[in-house]
Amino acid sequence: MTTLLHIDSSVFQGEASASRAVAETFRRTWQEQHPDGTVIYRDLAKEPVPHLTAEAHTAGFVDPATHTPEQAAAFGRRLELIRELEEADAVLIGAPMYNYTIPSTLKAWLDNVVLFGRTAGEAPSAKGTPVTVVASRGGSYGPGTPKEGNDYVRNYLHVILADAMAMEVEFIVPELTMAPHNPAMSELVPLYESSRERAHQHAVSRARQLAHQG
C-alpha cells in the first residue's frame, strides 16, 4: 500500500494559509492517483512535537540497552516520527517562511527525525524518497529581487533533506502572499495571483509525476 506522509506547519488554517492550500491540492491529486493509499498527517501547529532534549539526543548515539528511563521514553517518541518518515513512499511538507526561515515547529520535527547513522549519514534510511516542499513566503526572494540571499527556507531544507538525508527534493514556491493584505504591496497583487496559480498547477503536476514514477 502506498503511503504519503503529510506535514503542515503554518500557524494559519485552511485557505488563510498559502502553504496549506497548495499542499492540499497536492494531497488531493495524490489521493486521486492512489485511491487505496494511506495518508499519515501531522499538523505541527495544532499538535507540535517535543523539542529535542538532551535525553532524546544522547539516546540516539548509545546502545538502547543502556538507556535510562528518561532516554528510553524520549527516544521512543523520536522513533515514532522516524518510522513514519521511513515507511512513507512520498513526503509532503508545508514550510511557510517566518522571519526568513522555517517555523520552529517544523525545525523541532526535523530535529527529531534527523538521526545520523540512521536517517542521515552514509546510508540514510529514507534515501531516494521524494519529498515535496511547499515553501510559501510573503515577499519575493528570487534572483534579482532586493531580498535575494535572505531565503533561509529552501537553502536550509535542501541541505537537510537532500544533502544529509539523500531524499529527492522538489520545491513549490507560492510567493508575495502578503500582497492582498499589505496596502504597500497592492501593485503586486497580480503577480501574487499568478504565483498562486502556478503553485497549484505545480502541485498537481508533481503529484501526478510521482504516481507515474511509482
Side-chain angles (χ1 to χ4, degrees), residues 27-110:
R27 174 174 170 168
R28 184 171 59 250
T29 305
W30 187 91
Q31 289 180 302
E32 290 170 356
Q33 303 295 315
H34 302 88
D36 297 322
T38 298
V39 176
I40 299 173
Y41 181 60
R42 285 192 175 270
D43 186 337
L44 300 179
K46 287 186 174 181
E47 297 183 11
V49 302
H51 283 283
L52 197 63
T53 62
E55 291 78 15
H57 176 70
T58 57
F61 299 98
V62 297
D63 184 342
T66 68
H67 284 176
T68 65
E70 293 77 14
Q71 285 179 316
F75 194 59
R77 291 191 290 270
R78 285 189 74 184
L79 285 178
E80 179 184 358
L81 301 173
I82 287 171
R83 287 171 181 148
E84 288 178 352
L85 176 69
E86 292 175 334
E87 294 169 4
D89 298 288
V91 180
L92 171 64
I93 299 175
M97 177 186 285
Y98 292 162
N99 298 316
Y100 302 109
T101 188
I102 62 174
S104 61
T105 52
L106 180 55
K107 179 63 164 59
W109 179 80
L110 287 167

Side-chain angles (χ1 to χ4, degrees), residues 100-182:
Y100 302 109
T101 188
I102 62 174
S104 61
T105 52
L106 180 55
K107 179 63 164 59
W109 179 80
L110 287 167
D111 285 342
N112 276 279
V113 300
V114 176
L115 178 60
F116 281 87
R118 181 160 176 169
T119 60
E122 294 185 1
S125 54
K127 181 178 180 178
T129 302
V131 51
T132 304
V133 179
V134 181
S136 59
R137 61 275 320 279
S140 181
Y141 297 80
T145 62
K147 293 186 177 180
E148 178 184 359
N150 289 345
D151 177 358
Y152 300 103
V153 173
R154 282 184 291 183
N155 56 3
Y156 170 71
L157 290 178
H158 189 275
V159 169
I160 291 293
L161 298 170
D163 297 345
M165 303 178 74
M167 301 178 76
E168 177 210 315
V169 183
E170 183 158 323
F171 290 94
I172 299 175
V173 186
E175 60 180 10
L176 298 169
T177 61
M178 285 300 298
H181 311 288
N182 184 349

